[in-house]
Every structure is written in structure tokens, then in C-alpha cells.
Amino acid sequence: MNGFSSALFSETLKMRRSKVPLFTTLGFSMVPLMGGLFMIILKDPEAARSLGLISVKAQIAAGTAEWASLFNLLTQSIAVGGIILFAIITSWVFGREFSDHTVKELLALPTSRETIVSAKFVVIVVWAIVNVLLIFGLGLLVGYLVDIPGWSVDLLRTSFVDILGSVVLTIALLPFVALLAGIGRGYLSPIGWMILMVALAQIASFMGWGDWFPWAIPAMFAASHGEQLGLHSYVVVIVASLLGLAATFYWWRNAAQTR
């Protein structure tokens, strides 16, 4: 087993023994379940009112009881909620070494630090994509059980591309979270950073600069099928991703001197 395989096995084992994957998946599962509840309310508003449910709020959030509305809700929720969820995942993968006081042992391993960081990023990417696929599949199941109209293969394909595109763009920005987990030696700094970025993304979008602000681009891609974005938007994300990766690898390479 080579160095990367060993590091990847170690990171996967840490994930399997933790309850964090379970809790993040359960938390993210609320998105399609909430969407299903909205669809039930919108299908029969009178029955919903008799049960004490407020159909007006559901209509504002979801629109009408059809597949297009459910897919739109899933896409927007995954695009926005995924930023926070993936930040939690990344901060745990990189920050737990400091919280568990295992960073000394990790840095002392004969495996190169670049290999360790690469293995951590692979685990994060796979973890994030698996979560999104599970949530998307659960959304399909919920829509089928609620029996809403408007299904089409084209709609499915378009919605999946929107979700996958926003997820890829979000994942590309995670190196900054990993960097802050190292600099801040734990979970709080990266989570605070991502909350700040989400707030700034809202401001940038409101001011009309969202297509130039990396952390606003994933949600804009999901909301407009990428129509509100230009080539410069993807270049901005790529540049930000490469800068984050370079800074993260540099920090971990010199971590012994900065502790």
C-alpha cells in the first residue's frame, strides 16, 4: 500500500468511526422532506389549513405542487445549504486533528504532508457528492410518493445538471475552509469564515456583483441554469480555488514551524 492509499484509508476510517457523516446526512435530509411537506400542502390547501398548516408560506417557498417546483426547491436548498454543510465537513476533516490533539502524530508520519492533505480533500469531495446524490434520490422518492404532476426526463436532466454544477463550484471553494481550519487550529474559524462569505455573497448579488464574487456564483448557477454567469465567473472560481489549494498545501508543509 503506497503513501496516498494509506493516508486515504486512514481518513476514510476516521470518517466511518465518527457520527459526523450520519448527522450531516440526516440534517441535509430535511431538505427533500420539507419539499415533500410543501407539495402536500399545496396539493390540498384546505386540508392543510384544517391541520393547522400555513399554505401561504408553503406557496411562497415552493410555488405550485409540481415536479418543477420541487426540483427548484431542491436545487436552491442544496446550492445554499451545501455551502454550510460542506464547510462543516471540511472543517471537521481538517480541524479535528487539532481538537483531538493528534496533529503532532500526523505531522510526524513518514507520509508526506502533501499526500495527507490530498487524501483529506478526496474524502471531502466523495463525502459531499455522496450526500448530494442521496438527497437528490430522496427528493425523487418523496416526489413520487406525494404523486405530483409535471414529470419529464428533460426536467430531471436539467435539474440534476444545475445541482451538480453548483456542487462542483462549491467544492472548488472549500480549500479556504481547510486553510482556516489549520490557521485557526480547530472548527470555529472556518465556520465563521463561511458564514461571512455567505453574507457577503448575498450583498454582492444584491449589488449586482454576484457574478464576480466566488461564493455567490454556485447559488447563481443553480438559480439561473448558469445564464446569469459569464466565462469570467468560472475563471474567478478556478483562480480562487487554486489560490486556496496552494495556500493550504503551503501551510501544512510548514505546519511544524507555525505551531
Side-chain angles (χ1 to χ4, degrees):
M1 185 179 291
N2 59 36
F4 179 77
S5 298
S6 299
L8 185 60
F9 176 78
S10 176
E11 293 299 325
T12 304
L13 194 61
K14 292 175 188 176
M15 182 188 70
R16 286 179 56 191
R17 291 180 174 177
S18 172
K19 290 184 173 60
V20 174
L22 174 62
F23 289 148
T24 53
T25 301
L26 288 177
F28 217 21
S29 297
M30 294 300 103
V31 171
L33 295 179
M34 178 184 66
L37 176 61
F38 284 160
M39 294 300 108
I40 292 173
I41 292 173
L42 293 172
K43 282 186 68 175
D44 194 347
E46 293 303 323
R49 289 193 186 94
S50 67
L51 294 174
L53 301 176
I54 305 176
S55 61
V56 174
K57 289 186 177 180
Q59 190 167 6
I60 293 174
T64 56
E66 58 183 4
W67 277 102
S69 298
L70 179 59
F71 278 136
N72 181 63
L73 181 63
L74 285 175
T75 303
Q76 293 299 310
S77 299
I78 290 175
V80 177
I83 295 177
I84 302 299
L85 176 71
F86 300 160
I88 293 173
I89 291 172
T90 305
S91 62
W92 180 82
V93 170
F94 280 89
R96 70 183 301 274
E97 309 295 351
F98 300 95
S99 299
D100 295 348
H101 306 289
T102 58
V103 67
K104 280 186 178 181
E105 291 78 5
L106 185 69
L107 297 178
L109 291 173
T111 305
S112 72
R113 296 174 187 185
E114 290 82 356
T115 299
I116 293 172
V117 173
S118 298
K120 287 180 178 293
F121 276 124
V122 169
V123 167
I124 290 167
V125 170
V126 173
W127 187 348
I129 291 177
V130 168
N131 260 283
V132 169
L133 292 178
L134 287 174
I135 299 312
F136 190 73
L138 182 58
L140 294 178
L141 177 62
V142 167
Y144 172 77
L145 293 176
V146 176
D147 191 24
I148 51 179
W151 168 268
S152 74
V153 176
D154 287 339
L155 179 62
L156 172 66
R157 185 185 304 111
T158 301
S159 301
F160 185 74
V161 169
D162 289 343
I163 289 175
L164 192 59
S166 65
V167 167
V168 170
L169 291 169
T170 301
I171 289 174
L173 299 170
L174 292 178
F176 283 96
V177 179
L179 175 63
L180 267 293
I183 294 175
R185 294 171 171 77
Y187 307 126
L188 295 181
S189 295
I191 296 299
W193 160 269
M194 189 51 68
I195 292 174
L196 174 62
M197 291 302 103
V198 170
L200 291 178
Q202 296 298 316
I203 295 173
S205 298
F206 178 78
M207 299 294 292
W209 304 332
D211 57 328
W212 286 97
F213 188 68
W215 286 268
I217 290 172
M220 292 184 65
F221 180 92
S224 65
H225 313 294
E227 294 176 0
Q228 296 179 6
L229 305 176
L231 178 61
H232 65 279
S233 302
Y234 304 106
V235 172
V236 166
V237 172
I238 292 172
V239 170
S241 180
L242 292 176
L243 288 174
L245 282 171
T248 302
F249 277 100
Y250 177 82
W251 189 92
W252 278 88
R253 186 184 302 123
N254 299 278
Q257 289 87 348
T258 57
R259 292 188 68 251

